[in-house]
Amino acid sequence: MSSKVTGSITVTMEGSNKSTTLPLLGGTLGPQVADIRKLYGELGIFTYDPGYGATASCESTITYIDGDEGVLLYRGYPIEQLAEKSTFLEVAYLLLNGELPTKAQYAEFDTGVTRHTMLHEQLRRFFDGFRRDAHPMAVMCGVVGAMAAFYHDNLNINDPEQRRIAAFRLIAKVPTIAAWAYKYSIGQPFMYPRNDLGYAENFLYMLNAVPAEPWVNNPILSRAMDRILILHADHEQNASTSTVRLAGSTGANPFACIAAGIAALWGPAHGGANEAVLKMLAEIGKPENIPAFIREVKDKNSHTKLMGFGHRVYKNFDPRAKIMKETCHEVLAELGIKNEPLLDMAMEMERIALSDDYFISRKLYPNVDFYSGIILKAMGIPTQMFTVLFAVARTVGWVSQWKELIEDPSQRIGRPRQIYTGPAARDFVPMDRRG
Ligand code: CMC
């Protein structure tokens, strides 16, 4: 499905009689988009949009967000329905292929992913090169990028079958790398994947099991993990996905592109926020300190943000946060955790923030990361692994977006322009004549 011309917009340059008419494009859902591609050619002007708040960088059929209504659709299916009724691997198939799988298609996909969970034994040695106290996201950037060295020379990204295998490899191996990054940091033996377990179960197994004891799956935890993976699987053209697309637009190796996405995800404004929320709650310490913290957040000179709040697109509520909050209560109840001080603090913080004019006027609401950290902590996942988990889930979205990019005939290398504000052309001055 491609966008259609739905109208036009005329741009007139004040003070001159130059003008041009640009097509307006419409997709299936969402606002119309001015196609400015010929603006520079016709009027000699660029557009300026730092942070790309008003710029569509591509056409995509994968994910739709309505930020005012709090809607998130994967291939048209509401996130609430997928979180309740589907599984992460089924969602992965949907994101990659556009439709929900039949039984036979699912079985083939499941086998495809499962048969690629092991890492090349040589790749195991990469872990030894890191310090034990390295942040696991640093290890992820390095080891996922290093996969390019194993699958490069014989990888033709223009061959659909090779793209399919690269997708299997990434979706299957990233949890193994993630779990090993953690095991390395605590000095425990690496646990090899178990293909008799489901995707989320196997990930929890590789994270938590030790060779000395049998490992028992807790179905409540593996279901919660599966749901967390679904909620994070894709989110249209966010910073990390745009990074993957930009790297991919050059024809770069897909494993290297995903490593670039992992790097972009790491920052606290993006995927690093779930870890930052817990750090923030720990620093605040007790509910009595919340008002002082909120005052600090509102102080323009403090640079302190209420982590887990606000979103570039959601200006009403983040539908993922709603599901995450419910899941959080469910997980704590199932685990028999009655009083979780962090959850109490988070809820008090949410209550105070949502009744404060600073947050109301700026349309700042809890985002997916506000509650995810608390669930993950209750599940026994170490804090430094939170963003890694986000990366495991988002790998599916990144791979789907990379595949869509490569298959899009209108795609060109990503190359933004700029407003140059540096010095005008000037002559070089030899050092002995510089004042
Ligand atoms: N705490 C306090 N003030 C905030 C916050 C916050 N969390 N978020 C935005 N603001 C203020 C911001 O200072 C600005 O105020 P003013 O108009 O007075 O200058 C106003 O709200 C608009 O914010 P913005 O910075 O223009 O918004 P943005 O779209 O550029 O940034 C954001 C979006 C998510 C980076 C930002 O809200 C933020 O840093 N939030 C905290 C980090 C976080 O939770 N990130 C996870 C995002 S969801 C997971 C994901 O998809 O990665």
Side-chain angles (χ1 to χ4, degrees):
M1 264 181 286
S2 311
S3 62
K4 300 225 166 18
V5 176
T6 51
S8 63
I9 183 170
T10 300
V11 181
T12 306
M13 279 175 83
E14 271 180 32
S16 86
N17 53 6
K18 279 181 158 178
S19 79
T20 186
T21 299
L22 304 170
L24 283 177
L25 304 178
T28 328
L29 297 167
Q32 294 185 94
V33 175
D35 179 350
I36 56 160
R37 277 175 290 185
K38 63 176 190 169
L39 191 65
Y40 180 63
E42 303 238 323
L43 297 185
I45 55 175
F46 290 138
T47 53
Y48 180 55
D49 184 20
Y52 314 117
T55 297
S57 60
C58 60
E59 283 194 12
S60 181
T61 60
I62 301 175
T63 292
Y64 175 74
I65 302 174
D66 182 333
D68 294 324
E69 297 299 324
V71 171
L72 170 60
L73 310 176
Y74 291 166
R75 301 284 192 182
Y77 295 102
I79 190 67
E80 293 82 358
Q81 291 181 22
L82 294 170
E84 193 193 327
K85 298 178 182 157
S86 188
T87 62
F88 178 68
L89 263 197
E90 189 180 41
V91 166
Y93 182 97
L94 173 70
L95 288 170
L96 275 165
N97 299 296
E99 295 298 336
L100 288 167
T102 61
K103 267 191 184 153
Q105 286 167 334
Y106 182 79
E108 194 198 348
F109 184 74
D110 187 19
T111 308
V113 172
T114 307
R115 291 279 159 79
H116 285 95
T117 49
M118 287 202 307
L119 301 186
H120 191 295
E121 205 48 26
Q122 191 78 9
L123 202 58
R124 200 190 146 104
R125 299 201 191 162
F126 273 78
F127 291 87
D128 292 333
F130 290 97
R131 284 168 57 128
R132 292 268 175 197
D133 60 356
H135 195 287
M137 281 298 276
V139 178
M140 291 290 287
C141 290
V143 180
V144 173
M147 277 168 77
F150 291 79
Y151 311 106
H152 181 71
D153 291 342
N154 54 0
L155 180 84
N156 173 8
I157 58 169
N158 297 314
D159 175 353
E161 182 52 20
Q162 295 196 35
R163 286 200 294 274
R164 203 173 75 92
I165 294 172
F168 280 147
R169 286 191 168 128
L170 276 157
I171 296 166
K173 292 182 201 304
V174 162
T176 312
I177 296 174
W180 286 13
Y182 172 57
K183 287 295 192 191
Y184 182 76
S185 74
I186 56 169
Q188 283 188 4
F190 295 152
M191 299 302 288
Y192 283 83
R194 267 183 52 190
N195 290 352
D196 59 320
L197 300 177
Y199 192 88
E201 262 179 314
N202 175 51
F203 183 42
L204 286 173
Y205 164 79
M206 290 188 293
L207 275 177
N208 296 325
V210 287
E213 284 175 16
W215 180 79
V216 184
N217 176 44
N218 178 335
I220 295 149
L221 298 192
S222 48
R223 176 65 195 135
M225 175 60 78
D226 200 71
R227 186 177 284 180
I228 293 169
L229 295 177
I230 293 174
L231 292 180
H232 287 89
D234 194 49
H235 215 225
E236 54 120 303
Q237 307 311 319
N238 54 80
S240 56
T241 303
S242 297
T243 302
V244 170
R245 277 186 176 261
L246 200 55
S249 77
T250 69
N253 176 290
F255 298 94
C257 295
I258 302 303
I262 292 172
L265 184 76
W266 191 1
H270 193 6
N274 50 15
E275 184 178 340
V277 169
L278 275 217
K279 273 196 192 135
M280 174 186 77
L281 292 175
E283 271 163 34
I284 297 172
K286 45 190 177 180
E288 300 88 277
N289 297 338
I290 296 176
F293 178 77
I294 298 277
R295 273 198 299 281
E296 190 183 325
V297 166
K298 287 159 50 176
D299 176 359
K300 278 261 165 233
N301 301 319
S302 77
H303 299 291
T304 305
K305 285 247 156 82
L306 176 46
M307 299 314 286
F309 256 67
H311 197 274
R312 169 61 61 79
V313 185
Y314 295 121
K315 299 299 175 196
N316 183 339
F317 67 93
D318 178 341
R320 303 168 302 170
K322 236 178 171 178
I323 304 168
M324 203 59 101
K325 188 173 173 180
E326 283 161 20
T327 311
C328 189
H329 285 289
E330 274 166 34
V331 166
L332 295 181
E334 295 282 1
L335 293 174
I337 302 175
K338 292 225 171 58
N339 295 316
E340 170 52 66
L342 283 177
L343 181 63
D344 295 345
M345 280 244 299
M347 283 174 44
E348 179 61 3
M349 195 109 135
E350 184 182 358
R351 192 190 62 75
I352 293 176
L354 292 183
S355 56
D356 188 306
D357 190 53
Y358 175 93
F359 297 91
I360 296 169
S361 63
R362 288 170 179 75
K363 300 187 175 175
L364 300 172
Y365 295 90
N367 58 48
V368 67
D369 288 329
F370 194 66
Y371 283 101
S372 67
I374 299 167
I375 310 182
L376 294 173
K377 184 171 184 293
M379 289 170 70
I381 308 284
T383 315
Q384 76 273 24
M385 284 299 288
F386 291 179
T387 312
V388 173
L389 215 130
F390 194 156
V392 168
R394 189 54 61 82
T395 295
V396 167
W398 291 329
V399 175
S400 306
Q401 301 265 355
W402 169 81
K403 180 172 166 284
E404 186 178 65
L405 166 105
I406 300 295
E407 290 168 5
D408 179 355
S410 69
Q411 189 54 46
R412 305 161 72 199
I413 185 169
R415 191 2 177 139
R417 301 306 303 262
Q418 61 170 7
I419 304 180
Y420 176 70
T421 55
R426 50 184 170 165
D427 288 328
F428 178 81
V429 181
M431 201 179 277
D432 58 5
R433 277 202 259 134
R434 288 175 216 159

